[in-house]
PDB file of all heavy atoms in Angstrom:
ATOM      1  N   THR B 259     -23.139  -9.908 -12.785  1.00 91.00           N
ATOM      2  CA  THR B 259     -22.618 -11.257 -12.740  1.00 91.00           C
ATOM      3  C   THR B 259     -21.692 -11.521 -11.563  1.00 91.00           C
ATOM      4  O   THR B 259     -21.420 -12.688 -11.269  1.00 91.00           O
ATOM      5  CB  THR B 259     -21.813 -11.558 -14.019  1.00 91.00           C
ATOM      6  OG1 THR B 259     -20.634 -10.706 -14.053  1.00 91.00           O
ATOM      7  CG2 THR B 259     -22.650 -11.300 -15.260  1.00 91.00           C
ATOM      8  N   ASN B 260     -21.236 -10.473 -10.917  1.00 91.00           N
ATOM      9  CA  ASN B 260     -20.299 -10.569  -9.809  1.00 91.00           C
ATOM     10  C   ASN B 260     -18.903 -10.983 -10.240  1.00 91.00           C
ATOM     11  O   ASN B 260     -18.076 -11.267  -9.384  1.00 91.00           O
ATOM     12  CB  ASN B 260     -20.825 -11.515  -8.721  1.00 91.00           C
ATOM     13  CG  ASN B 260     -20.790 -10.884  -7.346  1.00 91.00           C
ATOM     14  OD1 ASN B 260     -20.659  -9.676  -7.224  1.00 91.00           O
ATOM     15  ND2 ASN B 260     -20.839 -11.763  -6.316  1.00 91.00           N
ATOM     16  N   LEU B 261     -18.654 -11.038 -11.543  1.00 94.00           N
ATOM     17  CA  LEU B 261     -17.354 -11.428 -12.021  1.00 94.00           C
ATOM     18  C   LEU B 261     -16.469 -10.210 -12.302  1.00 94.00           C
ATOM     19  O   LEU B 261     -16.964  -9.095 -12.600  1.00 94.00           O
ATOM     20  CB  LEU B 261     -17.460 -12.246 -13.308  1.00 94.00           C
ATOM     21  CG  LEU B 261     -18.371 -13.495 -13.205  1.00 94.00           C
ATOM     22  CD1 LEU B 261     -18.428 -14.213 -14.544  1.00 94.00           C
ATOM     23  CD2 LEU B 261     -17.821 -14.444 -12.127  1.00 94.00           C
ATOM     24  N   PHE B 262     -15.139 -10.412 -12.246  1.00 96.00           N
ATOM     25  CA  PHE B 262     -14.210  -9.338 -12.512  1.00 96.00           C
ATOM     26  C   PHE B 262     -13.688  -9.465 -13.957  1.00 96.00           C
ATOM     27  O   PHE B 262     -13.552 -10.559 -14.510  1.00 96.00           O
ATOM     28  CB  PHE B 262     -12.979  -9.439 -11.589  1.00 96.00           C
ATOM     29  CG  PHE B 262     -13.256  -8.941 -10.196  1.00 96.00           C
ATOM     30  CD1 PHE B 262     -13.603  -9.789  -9.201  1.00 96.00           C
ATOM     31  CD2 PHE B 262     -13.116  -7.594  -9.905  1.00 96.00           C
ATOM     32  CE1 PHE B 262     -13.846  -9.365  -7.921  1.00 96.00           C
ATOM     33  CE2 PHE B 262     -13.312  -7.122  -8.623  1.00 96.00           C
ATOM     34  CZ  PHE B 262     -13.694  -7.996  -7.618  1.00 96.00           C
ATOM     35  N   ALA B 263     -13.422  -8.287 -14.563  1.00 96.00           N
ATOM     36  CA  ALA B 263     -12.834  -8.229 -15.915  1.00 96.00           C
ATOM     37  C   ALA B 263     -11.772  -7.137 -15.914  1.00 96.00           C
ATOM     38  O   ALA B 263     -11.948  -6.099 -15.245  1.00 96.00           O
ATOM     39  CB  ALA B 263     -13.904  -7.971 -16.946  1.00 96.00           C
ATOM     40  N   PRO B 264     -10.694  -7.291 -16.692  1.00 97.00           N
ATOM     41  CA  PRO B 264      -9.628  -6.251 -16.716  1.00 97.00           C
ATOM     42  C   PRO B 264     -10.120  -4.936 -17.275  1.00 97.00           C
ATOM     43  O   PRO B 264     -10.833  -4.899 -18.249  1.00 97.00           O
ATOM     44  CB  PRO B 264      -8.568  -6.904 -17.603  1.00 97.00           C
ATOM     45  CG  PRO B 264      -8.865  -8.379 -17.617  1.00 97.00           C
ATOM     46  CD  PRO B 264     -10.381  -8.494 -17.478  1.00 97.00           C
ATOM     47  N   LEU B 265      -9.671  -3.874 -16.644  1.00 98.00           N
ATOM     48  CA  LEU B 265      -9.882  -2.493 -17.140  1.00 98.00           C
ATOM     49  C   LEU B 265      -8.634  -1.908 -17.712  1.00 98.00           C
ATOM     50  O   LEU B 265      -8.670  -1.146 -18.658  1.00 98.00           O
ATOM     51  CB  LEU B 265     -10.385  -1.641 -15.976  1.00 98.00           C
ATOM     52  CG  LEU B 265     -11.854  -1.453 -15.695  1.00 98.00           C
ATOM     53  CD1 LEU B 265     -12.048  -0.428 -14.613  1.00 98.00           C
ATOM     54  CD2 LEU B 265     -12.632  -1.077 -16.947  1.00 98.00           C
ATOM     55  N   LEU B 266      -7.482  -2.248 -17.117  1.00 98.00           N
ATOM     56  CA  LEU B 266      -6.220  -1.598 -17.465  1.00 98.00           C
ATOM     57  C   LEU B 266      -5.081  -2.540 -17.138  1.00 98.00           C
ATOM     58  O   LEU B 266      -5.047  -3.126 -16.037  1.00 98.00           O
ATOM     59  CB  LEU B 266      -6.060  -0.265 -16.711  1.00 98.00           C
ATOM     60  CG  LEU B 266      -4.797   0.519 -17.007  1.00 98.00           C
ATOM     61  CD1 LEU B 266      -4.736   1.036 -18.429  1.00 98.00           C
ATOM     62  CD2 LEU B 266      -4.679   1.702 -15.996  1.00 98.00           C
ATOM     63  N   THR B 267      -4.105  -2.669 -18.047  1.00 98.00           N
ATOM     64  CA  THR B 267      -2.898  -3.473 -17.814  1.00 98.00           C
ATOM     65  C   THR B 267      -1.691  -2.633 -18.125  1.00 98.00           C
ATOM     66  O   THR B 267      -1.598  -2.013 -19.170  1.00 98.00           O
ATOM     67  CB  THR B 267      -2.905  -4.751 -18.647  1.00 98.00           C
ATOM     68  OG1 THR B 267      -4.080  -5.508 -18.377  1.00 98.00           O
ATOM     69  CG2 THR B 267      -1.691  -5.583 -18.336  1.00 98.00           C
ATOM     70  N   LEU B 268      -0.732  -2.617 -17.160  1.00 97.00           N
ATOM     71  CA  LEU B 268       0.485  -1.827 -17.316  1.00 97.00           C
ATOM     72  C   LEU B 268       1.703  -2.676 -17.047  1.00 97.00           C
ATOM     73  O   LEU B 268       1.702  -3.566 -16.194  1.00 97.00           O
ATOM     74  CB  LEU B 268       0.504  -0.667 -16.333  1.00 97.00           C
ATOM     75  CG  LEU B 268      -0.598   0.371 -16.333  1.00 97.00           C
ATOM     76  CD1 LEU B 268      -0.470   1.274 -15.116  1.00 97.00           C
ATOM     77  CD2 LEU B 268      -0.530   1.178 -17.614  1.00 97.00           C
ATOM     78  N   GLU B 269       2.792  -2.395 -17.744  1.00 98.00           N
ATOM     79  CA  GLU B 269       4.078  -2.974 -17.416  1.00 98.00           C
ATOM     80  C   GLU B 269       4.867  -1.915 -16.686  1.00 98.00           C
ATOM     81  O   GLU B 269       5.028  -0.791 -17.179  1.00 98.00           O
ATOM     82  CB  GLU B 269       4.814  -3.417 -18.690  1.00 98.00           C
ATOM     83  CG  GLU B 269       6.094  -4.156 -18.424  1.00 98.00           C
ATOM     84  CD  GLU B 269       6.736  -4.689 -19.717  1.00 98.00           C
ATOM     85  OE1 GLU B 269       6.088  -5.569 -20.369  1.00 98.00           O
ATOM     86  OE2 GLU B 269       7.857  -4.197 -20.059  1.00 98.00           O
ATOM     87  N   VAL B 270       5.377  -2.284 -15.498  1.00 98.00           N
ATOM     88  CA  VAL B 270       6.065  -1.284 -14.685  1.00 98.00           C
ATOM     89  C   VAL B 270       7.505  -1.750 -14.381  1.00 98.00           C
ATOM     90  O   VAL B 270       7.715  -2.797 -13.755  1.00 98.00           O
ATOM     91  CB  VAL B 270       5.341  -1.100 -13.313  1.00 98.00           C
ATOM     92  CG1 VAL B 270       6.062  -0.058 -12.470  1.00 98.00           C
ATOM     93  CG2 VAL B 270       3.872  -0.647 -13.578  1.00 98.00           C
ATOM     94  N   ASP B 271       8.445  -0.942 -14.839  1.00 98.00           N
ATOM     95  CA  ASP B 271       9.863  -1.154 -14.538  1.00 98.00           C
ATOM     96  C   ASP B 271      10.162  -0.310 -13.301  1.00 98.00           C
ATOM     97  O   ASP B 271      10.052   0.933 -13.357  1.00 98.00           O
ATOM     98  CB  ASP B 271      10.707  -0.716 -15.711  1.00 98.00           C
ATOM     99  CG  ASP B 271      12.215  -0.752 -15.417  1.00 98.00           C
ATOM    100  OD1 ASP B 271      12.610  -1.142 -14.304  1.00 98.00           O
ATOM    101  OD2 ASP B 271      12.978  -0.403 -16.330  1.00 98.00           O
ATOM    102  N   PRO B 272      10.550  -0.917 -12.189  1.00 98.00           N
ATOM    103  CA  PRO B 272      10.755  -0.150 -10.933  1.00 98.00           C
ATOM    104  C   PRO B 272      11.880   0.892 -11.064  1.00 98.00           C
ATOM    105  O   PRO B 272      11.965   1.783 -10.222  1.00 98.00           O
ATOM    106  CB  PRO B 272      11.072  -1.211  -9.902  1.00 98.00           C
ATOM    107  CG  PRO B 272      11.556  -2.380 -10.674  1.00 98.00           C
ATOM    108  CD  PRO B 272      10.793  -2.358 -11.971  1.00 98.00           C
ATOM    109  N   GLN B 273      12.738   0.749 -12.081  1.00 98.00           N
ATOM    110  CA  GLN B 273      13.836   1.727 -12.276  1.00 98.00           C
ATOM    111  C   GLN B 273      13.467   2.817 -13.227  1.00 98.00           C
ATOM    112  O   GLN B 273      14.269   3.711 -13.548  1.00 98.00           O
ATOM    113  CB  GLN B 273      15.078   1.005 -12.809  1.00 98.00           C
ATOM    114  CG  GLN B 273      15.544  -0.170 -11.958  1.00 98.00           C
ATOM    115  CD  GLN B 273      15.816   0.213 -10.526  1.00 98.00           C
ATOM    116  OE1 GLN B 273      16.371   1.281 -10.266  1.00 98.00           O
ATOM    117  NE2 GLN B 273      15.370  -0.624  -9.579  1.00 98.00           N
ATOM    118  N   SER B 274      12.236   2.844 -13.689  1.00 98.00           N
ATOM    119  CA  SER B 274      11.807   3.794 -14.727  1.00 98.00           C
ATOM    120  C   SER B 274      11.968   5.266 -14.253  1.00 98.00           C
ATOM    121  O   SER B 274      11.693   5.587 -13.123  1.00 98.00           O
ATOM    122  CB  SER B 274      10.331   3.558 -15.083  1.00 98.00           C
ATOM    123  OG  SER B 274       9.865   4.616 -15.909  1.00 98.00           O
ATOM    124  N   ILE B 275      12.431   6.095 -15.176  1.00 98.00           N
ATOM    125  CA  ILE B 275      12.569   7.511 -14.882  1.00 98.00           C
ATOM    126  C   ILE B 275      11.175   8.187 -14.814  1.00 98.00           C
ATOM    127  O   ILE B 275      11.104   9.366 -14.360  1.00 98.00           O
ATOM    128  CB  ILE B 275      13.449   8.246 -15.916  1.00 98.00           C
ATOM    129  CG1 ILE B 275      12.796   8.179 -17.303  1.00 98.00           C
ATOM    130  CG2 ILE B 275      14.845   7.656 -15.947  1.00 98.00           C
ATOM    131  CD1 ILE B 275      13.477   9.052 -18.369  1.00 98.00           C
ATOM    132  N   TYR B 276      10.161   7.508 -15.250  1.00 98.00           N
ATOM    133  CA  TYR B 276       8.800   8.070 -15.220  1.00 98.00           C
ATOM    134  C   TYR B 276       8.051   7.851 -13.903  1.00 98.00           C
ATOM    135  O   TYR B 276       6.926   8.289 -13.747  1.00 98.00           O
ATOM    136  CB  TYR B 276       8.001   7.533 -16.398  1.00 98.00           C
ATOM    137  CG  TYR B 276       8.630   7.862 -17.720  1.00 98.00           C
ATOM    138  CD1 TYR B 276       9.240   6.836 -18.472  1.00 98.00           C
ATOM    139  CD2 TYR B 276       8.705   9.162 -18.188  1.00 98.00           C
ATOM    140  CE1 TYR B 276       9.831   7.139 -19.696  1.00 98.00           C
ATOM    141  CE2 TYR B 276       9.290   9.446 -19.412  1.00 98.00           C
ATOM    142  CZ  TYR B 276       9.853   8.442 -20.167  1.00 98.00           C
ATOM    143  OH  TYR B 276      10.489   8.748 -21.343  1.00 98.00           O
ATOM    144  N   ILE B 277       8.689   7.171 -12.962  1.00 98.00           N
ATOM    145  CA  ILE B 277       8.108   7.029 -11.630  1.00 98.00           C
ATOM    146  C   ILE B 277       8.507   8.248 -10.788  1.00 98.00           C
ATOM    147  O   ILE B 277       9.683   8.555 -10.648  1.00 98.00           O
ATOM    148  CB  ILE B 277       8.580   5.733 -10.979  1.00 98.00           C
ATOM    149  CG1 ILE B 277       8.079   4.534 -11.797  1.00 98.00           C
ATOM    150  CG2 ILE B 277       8.084   5.627  -9.551  1.00 98.00           C
ATOM    151  CD1 ILE B 277       8.579   3.180 -11.269  1.00 98.00           C
ATOM    152  N   ASP B 278       7.526   8.903 -10.220  1.00 98.00           N
ATOM    153  CA  ASP B 278       7.746  10.133  -9.423  1.00 98.00           C
ATOM    154  C   ASP B 278       8.390   9.725  -8.111  1.00 98.00           C
ATOM    155  O   ASP B 278       7.879   8.905  -7.387  1.00 98.00           O
ATOM    156  CB  ASP B 278       6.432  10.820  -9.191  1.00 98.00           C
ATOM    157  CG  ASP B 278       6.588  12.150  -8.482  1.00 98.00           C
ATOM    158  OD1 ASP B 278       7.715  12.543  -8.133  1.00 98.00           O
ATOM    159  OD2 ASP B 278       5.542  12.820  -8.223  1.00 98.00           O
ATOM    160  N   ARG B 279       9.516  10.350  -7.793  1.00 98.00           N
ATOM    161  CA  ARG B 279      10.212  10.075  -6.512  1.00 98.00           C
ATOM    162  C   ARG B 279      10.400  11.347  -5.690  1.00 98.00           C
ATOM    163  O   ARG B 279      11.223  11.369  -4.752  1.00 98.00           O
ATOM    164  CB  ARG B 279      11.570   9.398  -6.828  1.00 98.00           C
ATOM    165  CG  ARG B 279      11.429   8.044  -7.461  1.00 98.00           C
ATOM    166  CD  ARG B 279      12.768   7.445  -7.846  1.00 98.00           C
ATOM    167  NE  ARG B 279      12.618   6.058  -8.320  1.00 98.00           N
ATOM    168  CZ  ARG B 279      12.321   5.719  -9.563  1.00 98.00           C
ATOM    169  NH1 ARG B 279      12.158   6.669 -10.465  1.00 98.00           N
ATOM    170  NH2 ARG B 279      12.185   4.471  -9.900  1.00 98.00           N
ATOM    171  N   SER B 280       9.673  12.391  -6.046  1.00 97.00           N
ATOM    172  CA  SER B 280       9.849  13.663  -5.337  1.00 97.00           C
ATOM    173  C   SER B 280       9.250  13.636  -3.922  1.00 97.00           C
ATOM    174  O   SER B 280       8.200  12.982  -3.715  1.00 97.00           O
ATOM    175  CB  SER B 280       9.184  14.790  -6.108  1.00 97.00           C
ATOM    176  OG  SER B 280       7.787  14.527  -6.339  1.00 97.00           O
ATOM    177  N   PRO B 281       9.901  14.267  -2.945  1.00 97.00           N
ATOM    178  CA  PRO B 281       9.330  14.307  -1.605  1.00 97.00           C
ATOM    179  C   PRO B 281       8.091  15.218  -1.560  1.00 97.00           C
ATOM    180  O   PRO B 281       7.992  16.166  -2.352  1.00 97.00           O
ATOM    181  CB  PRO B 281      10.452  14.871  -0.758  1.00 97.00           C
ATOM    182  CG  PRO B 281      11.279  15.670  -1.749  1.00 97.00           C
ATOM    183  CD  PRO B 281      11.192  14.960  -3.057  1.00 97.00           C
TER     184      PRO B 281
END
Side-chain angles (χ1 to χ4, degrees):
T259 65
N260 230 16
L261 303 178
F262 283 95
L265 270 184
L266 179 66
T267 301
L268 301 171
E269 185 175 296
V270 180
D271 175 359
Q273 306 303 319
S274 171
I275 63 171
Y276 300 109
I277 297 176
D278 185 0
R279 296 175 173 87
S280 57

